[in-house]
Amino acid sequence: APGEEAAAVEAAASGPMANDVLEVDLIFVQYAFKVFRKCSPNDNEMDGNELRRALASFNIYLSSEFSSALMLMFLRDMEKDQAQEGEVGRASSKGNRHDGEYFTFAEFTKFMMQVDTYVAARKLGLDSCQVRCSRRVPAWIESQSLTQICDNFARISHPIVLWSTCLLFYFAVDWWR
């Protein structure tokens, strides 16, 4: 209808400022959408491993297990809020997933707005999953950035190389004489 088209053009012309949305918020949402699509290209849902890869795009490095634990923590908090508002649960298009272990784009964006509060649990030592998984080297490596991995490797290998060079030198001096 012509009236609806005119209203849509007028709403688009007024821009996001009419809805109290700042342009900087839209830039974040656009970037979050690109990250969501890159990490979860085949569907509109993101699991724990895909969330780990998405968080790495924001320089937040976690293991897959801890990412899944944060996802479930966030979804439980959202269910509490929805239960207070009287909303119903949601269903997955990926089949019957246990406890809804997936994010939609809207949930991912809400999570990213509050990610600091959820990652703070890790820094406070409330991360039981990380403690349990820290015994496995791949989980530890998975939760580190590439620069942290290189730094840790250098911290371990440098003293070993230095001491072995010194030992080799002193053995060679005795051998040389």
Side-chain angles (χ1 to χ4, degrees):
E4 292 176 14
E5 290 177 17
V9 169
E10 183 178 324
S14 65
M17 296 305 287
N19 296 323
D20 293 330
V21 176
L22 299 176
E23 191 170 345
V24 72
D25 295 334
L26 293 177
I27 291 171
F28 169 75
V29 171
Q30 288 173 343
Y31 180 70
F33 183 73
K34 287 179 184 176
V35 169
F36 186 86
R37 279 287 170 223
K38 182 178 85 172
C39 296
S40 182
N42 298 328
D43 53 15
N44 292 325
E45 297 170 350
M46 178 180 282
D47 63 13
N49 193 35
E50 294 168 341
L51 177 63
R52 180 190 61 81
R53 289 195 317 259
L55 289 174
S57 298
F58 292 94
N59 290 329
I60 301 171
Y61 298 94
L62 307 170
S63 67
S64 295
E65 291 88 358
F66 188 61
S67 297
S68 296
L70 286 182
M71 179 185 293
L72 290 175
M73 189 186 313
F74 178 77
L75 291 174
R76 281 192 301 266
D77 290 346
M78 278 189 53
E79 285 177 7
K80 289 177 187 174
D81 293 341
Q82 290 174 352
Q84 290 174 354
E85 295 174 7
E87 295 180 23
V88 295
R90 59 201 173 91
S92 171
S93 66
K94 289 186 177 180
N96 191 7
R97 295 179 114 178
H98 176 66
D99 290 332
E101 295 178 15
Y102 65 93
F103 271 163
T104 60
F105 175 68
E107 292 164 339
F108 172 70
T109 307
K110 287 178 187 175
F111 176 75
M112 291 308 299
M113 295 289 194
Q114 303 172 14
V115 72
D116 291 339
T117 57
Y118 286 94
V119 175
R122 176 180 183 208
K123 293 178 182 168
L124 293 174
L126 302 176
D127 174 10
S128 63
C129 179
Q130 190 74 12
V131 171
R132 184 171 23 97
C133 298
S134 66
R135 296 186 185 107
R136 292 192 353 240
V137 173
W140 175 78
I141 289 175
E142 195 175 64
S143 65
Q144 303 287 319
S145 70
L146 183 60
T147 55
Q148 289 172 326
I149 293 169
C150 292
D151 185 47
N152 289 330
F153 176 74
R155 287 180 186 195
I156 293 169
S157 64
H158 181 71
I160 293 171
V161 170
L162 184 67
W163 279 102
S164 62
T165 305
C166 289
L167 287 173
L168 182 64
F169 173 75
Y170 284 113
F171 283 130
V173 166
D174 288 337
W175 196 22
W176 193 282
R177 292 185 194 175

